[in-house]
Amino acid sequence: MINKGLSNVGIFLLNMLSLLPLFILYRLADAFYMLIFYVFGYRRKVVKENLVNAFPEKTATEIYAIEKRFYKFLASLFIEVIKMKSISKKELNKRVKFKNTDLVEAYLKNNESVIFCSSHYGNYEWVCMAIGLNFSGEHYPIYKPLSSESFNNWFLTMRSKFGNQMVAMRQTLRAIQASKNVATMFTFGSDQAPSKDESNYWTMFLNQESSIQLGVEKIARKTNRPVFYLKINHLKRGYYEVDCVPICLNPAETAEFEITEMHTHFLEDMIKEAPAYWLWSHRRWKYKPEQKVQKVAADQNVMDAMV
């Protein structure tokens, strides 16, 4: 009860903060950057380790420069997420522009559905919100519920304010089945690391063996929905351009794991192009392939003991 009360107080304060204009919020972001980078060192060990492992060819000076740019962007991203509560359609459309949408619209106008691959790059939250305003089909973003019910509901309210129909990860297949007769866009965060038990496919990503979600590929191949990557370009503070890049238009004709490799390495190239705008503070590589092997072996030992 106490935790819920504190969460509600926090949400109230965030809602009030959201009412401030962005030029003031960005001044707060500058101060927030100083705190999380220089004073508290928020996850700096994780960020530095991720960057060093991803870019072994870069010098310590180059890594430090990327690290600083990342934290400056992270502070702005935090403020922009808060602004989602009060941002208007006009303001959002001014700050998030889509290009190369004709092919996507051709499918939707023909009552065919598509799959969007996204990632924790740039302001993925604003981009996800803006999809509902810029395309004719119904938009179903897939999300992972937060542990706090209060904050989970707060995020759901903001994310769905412009027509998005949020779908919890475990409800994806049910939502696809329920909407099969209408033109839809299902958006997946393709860089979300699977849990240890679900880490069934590994590939090289940013110089490290990485477990990859297979949801995009499984659904694309089963339904033959074309797959587009939402390439987010950070133009300047608070302004983004989203290129709708087709990466697979005939999924049913692909080999197993082919689509997974496509979207994984597309993201890798995007990160290498401008690395400061990916979410390096996530513990993306906390599970290793050998841990999966050990678990499989342990499970097999249990099965053998039961026989």
Side-chain angles (χ1 to χ4, degrees):
M1 183 66 72
I2 294 176
N3 288 339
K4 185 175 182 180
L6 291 174
S7 295
N8 290 336
V9 170
I11 289 170
F12 173 78
L13 294 175
L14 292 174
N15 288 341
M16 294 300 100
L17 194 60
S18 175
L19 298 175
L20 294 174
L22 272 169
F23 74 89
I24 293 178
L25 289 174
Y26 283 133
R27 300 291 76 78
L28 295 177
D30 291 338
F32 186 54
Y33 157 68
M34 300 295 287
L35 288 174
I36 61 175
F37 187 73
Y38 290 107
V39 180
F40 298 112
Y42 170 72
R43 290 197 176 184
R44 282 196 61 183
K45 183 178 179 181
V46 173
V47 172
K48 184 175 182 179
E49 181 181 350
N50 285 342
L51 286 170
V52 168
N53 290 339
F55 303 111
E57 75 283 0
K58 294 189 182 295
T59 66
T61 301
E62 290 172 320
I63 292 293
Y64 184 70
I66 296 172
E67 190 181 357
K68 286 187 68 175
R69 288 198 299 272
F70 164 70
Y71 275 97
K72 287 180 180 178
F73 172 70
L74 182 64
S76 294
L77 178 62
F78 178 74
I79 289 299
E80 289 171 8
V81 169
I82 293 173
K83 189 62 182 177
M84 288 167 63
K85 181 65 178 178
S86 62
I87 197 169
S88 66
K89 293 180 180 180
K90 181 179 179 181
E91 182 78 6
L92 185 62
N93 277 333
K94 182 177 77 172
R95 292 177 174 275
V96 180
K97 300 288 188 181
F98 289 82
K99 70 175 187 178
N100 296 325
T101 61
D102 291 350
L103 184 55
V104 175
E105 275 299 315
Y107 281 106
L108 298 175
K109 292 292 177 62
N110 197 40
N111 203 38
E112 297 179 64
S113 296
V114 304
I115 291 174
F116 284 151
C117 274
S118 186
S119 56
H120 293 88
Y121 189 93
N123 192 332
Y124 48 90
E125 293 286 1
W126 276 12
V127 170
C128 194
M129 283 183 73
I131 290 174
L133 299 175
N134 285 272
F135 294 91
S136 59
E138 295 185 12
H139 184 215
Y140 292 81
I142 310 302
Y143 76 99
K144 184 177 181 179
L146 301 176
S147 57
S148 167
E149 182 180 355
S150 297
F151 277 100
N152 188 63
N153 291 336
W154 182 65
F155 267 105
L156 283 178
T157 299
M158 293 194 302
R159 287 167 166 169
S160 59
K161 65 184 288 186
F162 295 143
N164 292 337
Q165 301 183 53
M166 306 301 298
V167 178
M169 290 178 66
R170 296 190 180 279
Q171 301 298 319
T172 302
L173 294 178
R174 182 178 297 178
I176 289 175
Q177 180 65 23
S179 62
K180 64 181 181 180
N181 295 322
V182 296
T184 62
M185 301 161 286
F186 275 76
T187 297
F188 293 81
S190 59
D191 62 339
Q192 187 80 37
S195 66
K196 185 192 299 186
D197 291 344
E198 296 175 342
S199 295
N200 298 314
Y201 182 72
W202 297 79
T203 191
M204 291 302 292
F205 170 61
L206 291 174
N207 198 48
Q208 299 159 87
E209 281 197 274
S210 309
S211 59
I212 308 295
Q213 293 273 10
L214 295 175
V216 171
E217 172 166 318
K218 288 179 178 178
I219 291 170
R221 294 182 71 201
K222 186 171 184 178
T223 63
N224 202 33
R225 298 183 181 196
V227 180
F228 293 81
Y229 209 104
L230 299 177
K231 183 181 181 183
I232 302 173
N233 298 303
H234 181 272
L235 302 178
K236 60 181 181 179
R237 193 178 216 180
Y239 288 87
Y240 304 88
E241 181 183 73
V242 187
D243 192 356
C244 302
V245 181
I247 61 171
C248 185
L249 298 181
N250 295 292
E253 298 177 5
T254 61
E256 188 177 19
F257 307 129
E258 185 177 347
I259 294 174
T260 299
E261 290 289 331
M262 285 179 182
H263 70 67
T264 298
H265 295 294
F266 188 96
L267 171 61
E268 182 177 57
D269 290 341
M270 189 167 73
I271 292 170
K272 288 180 177 179
E273 189 177 312
Y277 307 114
W278 194 53
L279 205 57
W280 294 101
S281 53
H282 271 198
R283 292 186 173 91
R284 176 64 177 81
W285 290 279
K286 60 184 176 181
Y287 301 129
K288 304 299 180 184
E290 60 268 19
Q291 292 175 313
K292 177 63 180 178
V293 172
Q294 290 168 1
K295 183 181 185 304
V296 171
D299 289 345
Q300 186 60 50
N301 289 338
V302 172
M303 292 292 291
D304 292 343
M306 294 173 62
V307 176

